[in-house]
Amino acid sequence: MQHRPEIDGLRAVAVVPVILFHAGVAWFSGGYVGVDVFFVISGYLITTIIATAQDKGAFTILGFYERRARRIMPVLFTVILCCLPFAWAWMLPAQMTSFAESIIAVCLFVSNVLFWQESGYFAAAAEKQPLLHTWSLAVEEQYYVVFPLLLMGLHRYGARVRFATVLLAALVSFALAVYGAVAFPNAAFYLPHTRAWELLAGSLCALLLLKRPQPGNNVLSLIGIVAVLAGMFLYDEGTPFPSAWTVAPVGGTALIILFAGPGTLVHRCLSLRLLTGIGLISYSLYLWHQPLFAFARIRSLTEPTPLVMTILTIAAVLLAILSWRFVETPFRTGRITLLASGPRILGATAAVAAILMAIGAVGRLDEGLAFRLPPEALAALDVQAHPDPAMATCLFDKGEATLPHPVRACMTPDIDKSDTIMIGDSHAGAITGEALRAFTAAGLDLYALSHSSCAGFSGLVVSNAKYRLRCNSFFKGVEDYIAANDIRTIIMVSRWSLYLDGTAFDNGEGGIEALKPTYADLYARRDDMGGETDPARKDRVLAAFLADIRAYLDHGYNVVLVYPIPEAGWNVPDLLARAAMTGTDVEPLGTSADRYRARNAAVIAAFDTLEHPRLVKIRPDAIFCDSFVAARCVNSLSTDRIFYFDDDHLSDAGAALLMQPIIDAVRHLTASTTTAP
């Protein structure tokens, strides 16, 4: 086919924003649409090659796959092999297991399916997946399995039937994408049936231009490049993709392919030597950038600095030039005599893939080759892997309004009922096991119940779709139980500020919690919730907290109110394990006390207004902050004193620090009140 330099330039326009997006450059919030541009280009080029060869009677399926193998596999295998020593040296066991599985999936061209099942493309964990970007290669390869066979079957029916069939397939795929953006967004992002229309858009361009001179139209080609760039700068992680929004970059790319003929402004710009040079190495550049960024994030205890990401971007360009020159070009042109024939290159591809899959299988052994890690790292990860089992028993998540109270496993031993109950969300669930042990040792009774993502009261709804309406039903049942039994003291433990702000905690030092926005509103407004940043909603929720606490006090109950527990932001055991692997001393580990106070200022100020003789307030910040280390909220003191099992939940060691003040408060309130309400 005739070489089109503007297509090379368009590849550069596609790959650079993808890299800058993955590097965290805020301006390119929609840089991921570069992949969609690649899909259209691939569809155009592959269809042109196949259709032209068919018209000449020269197309063979073996020859097609030989060319694909020469183009795709050598650099891909090279990149995977180069990842192996860094994975061995730096990856935690869970990361190694995931990486090993991804090697197998890449070799089988199903990595898109694997990453669909593991996590979303924009999830924090995805940034540490060295082979995440191969999902798009898998989509293309799956397309290459079906599409050549389709064209072979349609060839005998003529150009019109061929075009109409491809158009119909594109429309069906687009309709599935639009539906999937709402019904199954993660699957729609990764799977081929909702991505095929983008490749088919390029195929349609190829069929339109087949045996025709390319027209030049300044207006249409300019509209095309503007549409592509607009998506890169205006879209972000919240834009549904693929969806109707994807029409802009896909349609824009199609307009460039169709109308950026010689002499047009877009053709001249895209044909600039710098852009065409980047376009030539774009495949290698795409393959190298994600492993470099992922391993930098794995190796660093916090998010790499912009300077580091800039250096890695330059390194990706240099590696791309080298692999294009010494790997891509020799294999693609058949210069390597030993692999000059089609059967040989296909056989060699299968052999190397089998070796890599065997390596991947080994990487899944022994829980991700855990023997590589020093004892300190294993000790830290053990805290993460084994939160107190009472949390699994007494932290509910299905809104069980008809829960058969009391749940005996959530009570101190040898009692039928307790006059003290602890309620709240997962922050209460995390300390349940230690609370039951401490109350038993102190000769006190306790019943502990909690529900994920619920503040501890009925009358509230949360934005999290899973728990949206469950909080009201679960805590209505708990409140009915409290009212019908001789409960005297209520301990309240919740992540109060989360329900006001709805945002993940950022400790300001590179630790940003992996959490989707989860905020609360009144149950009566479940069909008209205020937004995450709506100040009126925050005021409503905070007022509801205070009203419910006062209602318990006014009805004669004792209340032990636990203020917000400090959040860590980073996964504490994970960070400590990585520090041990790299020989970095981070103990004692902590975060800014000022950051804690800023995060929880509204809740603290509101709770400070509450005064009542049956109310005792517990300040976790007085225990964790400005105590072990000045101006810091401590996360751990050593690998045998780790206070969190993730980025915000207390471990047993952390819960133990809270127990004595809580027990003292219960004893005080029990002694000062003689009758149940």
Side-chain angles (χ1 to χ4, degrees):
M1 61 179 291
Q2 182 181 358
H3 178 246
R4 293 183 57 179
E6 79 278 13
I7 297 294
D8 288 332
L10 188 56
R11 284 195 181 106
V13 172
V15 74
V16 170
V18 171
I19 293 171
L20 295 178
F21 170 74
H22 286 154
V25 179
W27 287 3
F28 289 88
S29 59
Y32 55 86
V33 306
V35 173
D36 304 273
V37 176
F38 273 126
F39 281 156
V40 181
I41 294 173
S42 293
Y44 166 73
L45 295 175
I46 291 302
T47 305
T48 301
I49 291 170
I50 294 174
T52 301
Q54 282 182 325
D55 290 346
K56 295 178 180 178
F59 179 77
T60 65
I61 199 72
L62 181 64
F64 174 79
Y65 287 127
E66 175 196 344
R67 287 191 296 273
R68 290 296 87 205
R70 291 185 183 280
R71 175 77 174 97
I72 293 171
M73 304 313 295
V75 183
L76 178 61
F77 288 159
T78 300
V79 170
I80 294 175
L81 288 169
C82 289
C83 288
L84 296 178
F86 298 99
W88 175 277
W90 294 343
M91 278 187 162
L92 298 177
Q95 293 170 331
M96 176 61 82
T97 299
S98 179
F99 175 64
E101 291 173 346
S102 71
I103 291 176
I104 298 172
V106 168
C107 293
L108 294 175
F109 302 119
V110 292
S111 61
N112 58 329
V113 177
L114 175 69
F115 294 127
W116 159 50
Q117 294 176 335
E118 285 189 346
S119 64
Y121 182 75
F122 302 110
E127 293 185 337
K128 296 180 181 178
Q129 289 277 13
L131 301 179
L132 175 70
H133 58 328
T134 62
W135 75 269
S136 63
L137 299 185
V139 169
E140 289 195 20
E141 291 303 324
Q142 291 155 14
Y143 177 79
Y144 297 154
V145 170
V146 176
F147 189 68
L149 300 178
L150 176 65
L151 287 190
M152 289 173 68
L154 293 173
H155 183 60
R156 71 183 69 179
Y157 297 106
R160 289 186 177 180
V161 172
R162 180 174 60 185
F163 185 87
T165 304
V166 173
L167 176 60
L168 177 62
L171 292 174
V172 171
S173 174
F174 176 69
L176 288 172
V178 172
Y179 173 72
V182 177
F184 42 88
N186 207 35
F189 187 93
Y190 281 114
L191 298 186
H193 61 287
T194 48
R195 289 288 188 172
W197 69 277
E198 302 178 39
L199 289 137
L200 291 170
S203 298
L204 291 169
C205 292
L207 296 177
L208 286 171
L209 293 176
L210 203 63
K211 298 180 181 179
R212 296 183 181 91
Q214 183 194 16
N217 188 305
N218 267 315
V219 174
L220 292 177
S221 57
L222 280 171
I223 291 173
I225 196 67
V226 169
V228 169
L229 294 176
M232 294 174 176
F233 288 104
L234 299 180
Y235 293 174
D236 59 26
E237 296 177 7
T239 306
F241 240 72
S243 67
W245 294 98
T246 317
V247 170
V250 170
T253 305
L255 287 174
I256 294 169
I257 291 172
L258 290 172
F259 298 108
T264 62
L265 177 61
V266 172
H267 184 281
R268 291 197 299 270
C269 290
L270 292 178
S271 299
L272 292 174
R273 181 169 296 183
L274 175 62
L275 290 181
T276 58
I278 295 174
L280 287 175
I281 65 169
S282 60
Y283 176 59
S284 283
L285 184 55
Y286 181 74
L287 286 182
W288 281 113
H289 85 279
Q290 176 64 15
L292 288 174
F293 293 169
F295 280 114
R297 290 182 167 111
I298 290 169
R299 173 62 177 81
S300 177
L301 300 184
T302 58
E303 179 67 16
T305 65
L307 176 60
V308 169
M309 300 306 281
T310 300
I311 293 171
L312 291 174
T313 301
I314 295 171
V317 174
L318 296 177
L319 288 169
I321 293 171
L322 291 174
S323 61
W324 174 80
R325 174 67 178 82
F326 297 106
V327 180
E328 267 195 81
T329 302
F331 276 93
R332 191 174 66 249
T333 58
R335 270 193 248 155
I336 300 176
T337 307
L338 183 64
L339 301 175
S341 69
R344 285 185 177 182
I345 189 67
L346 292 174
T349 297
V352 175
I355 293 170
L356 287 174
M357 286 192 288
I359 293 173
V362 170
R364 298 183 73 253
L365 299 176
D366 187 34
E367 297 181 346
L369 308 178
F371 62 83
R372 299 171 296 117
L373 277 65
E376 298 83 2
L378 293 174
L381 292 175
D382 187 65
V383 174
Q384 181 185 64
H386 300 101
D388 197 291
M391 184 175 183
T393 304
C394 305
L395 176 66
F396 297 88
D397 71 348
K398 295 182 175 63
E400 299 92 331
T402 57
L403 198 68
H405 292 289
V407 181
R408 297 301 298 269
C410 303
M411 303 181 76
T412 45
D414 304 322
I415 62 170
D416 294 323
K417 63 179 182 179
S418 171
D419 60 5
T420 300
I421 188 169
M422 182 170 73
I423 58 175
D425 59 10
S426 60
H427 276 204
I431 68 173
T432 292
E434 187 62 28
L436 292 173
R437 288 187 292 271
F439 271 68
T440 301
L444 297 173
D445 297 337
L446 179 67
Y447 183 28
L449 290 172
S450 52
H451 195 291
S452 298
S453 297
C454 298
F457 307 112
S458 64
L460 295 173
V461 62
V462 294
S463 61
N464 186 310
K466 180 179 180 181
Y467 304 114
R468 179 174 171 76
L469 303 179
R470 294 178 180 181
C471 300
N472 181 69
S473 59
F474 181 84
F475 281 105
K476 183 66 170 65
V478 171
E479 290 161 1
D480 290 344
Y481 172 80
I482 291 173
N485 292 269
D486 297 328
I487 300 296
R488 296 173 63 185
T489 303
I490 302 168
I491 304 168
M492 298 181 180
V493 183
S494 278
R495 196 175 176 186
W496 308 103
S497 296
L498 174 65
Y499 305 108
L500 262 63
D501 293 343
T503 57
F505 178 62
D506 180 353
N507 65 23
E509 300 169 29
I512 303 175
E513 177 193 4
L515 173 82
K516 290 185 177 180
T518 302
Y519 56 89
D521 206 335
L522 303 186
Y523 187 78
R525 297 180 61 91
R526 57 191 177 278
D527 297 324
D528 185 28
M529 293 181 68
E532 175 188 340
T533 59
D534 181 6
R537 178 196 60 79
K538 295 181 181 182
D539 291 341
R540 289 194 298 269
V541 173
L542 193 54
F545 289 169
L546 297 179
D548 286 329
I549 295 168
R550 289 191 179 106
Y552 277 125
L553 293 168
D554 292 343
H555 282 82
Y557 295 97
N558 303 321
V559 173
V560 178
L561 178 60
V562 180
Y563 278 53
I565 292 170
E567 302 146 303
W570 42 48
N571 187 305
V572 176
D574 181 283
L575 188 148
L576 291 171
R578 288 188 287 134
M581 290 183 71
T582 58
T584 306
D585 183 13
V586 295
E587 296 172 352
L589 178 66
T591 57
S592 165
D594 287 340
R595 203 79 173 186
Y596 167 85
R597 285 186 278 268
R599 164 79 159 178
N600 299 286
V603 169
I604 291 172
F607 285 0
D608 284 347
T609 65
L610 293 170
E611 295 295 340
H612 198 282
R614 285 191 297 275
L615 172 67
V616 175
K617 305 171 188 176
I618 305 294
R619 292 291 298 263
D621 56 315
I623 300 169
F624 292 95
C625 307
D626 293 307
S627 51
F628 296 95
V629 182
R632 307 289 286 176
C633 297
V634 70
N635 304 150
S636 74
L637 295 177
S638 62
T639 52
D640 57 357
R641 291 199 73 189
I642 300 174
F643 298 142
Y644 294 79
F645 68 76
D646 60 8
D647 49 25
D648 66 279
H649 293 93
L650 292 178
S651 66
D652 284 346
L657 298 179
L658 270 181
M659 284 307 110
Q660 194 58 53
I662 291 176
I663 288 172
D664 290 343
V666 171
R667 280 181 168 153
H668 166 75
L669 291 169
T670 303
S672 61
T673 56
T674 57
T675 59

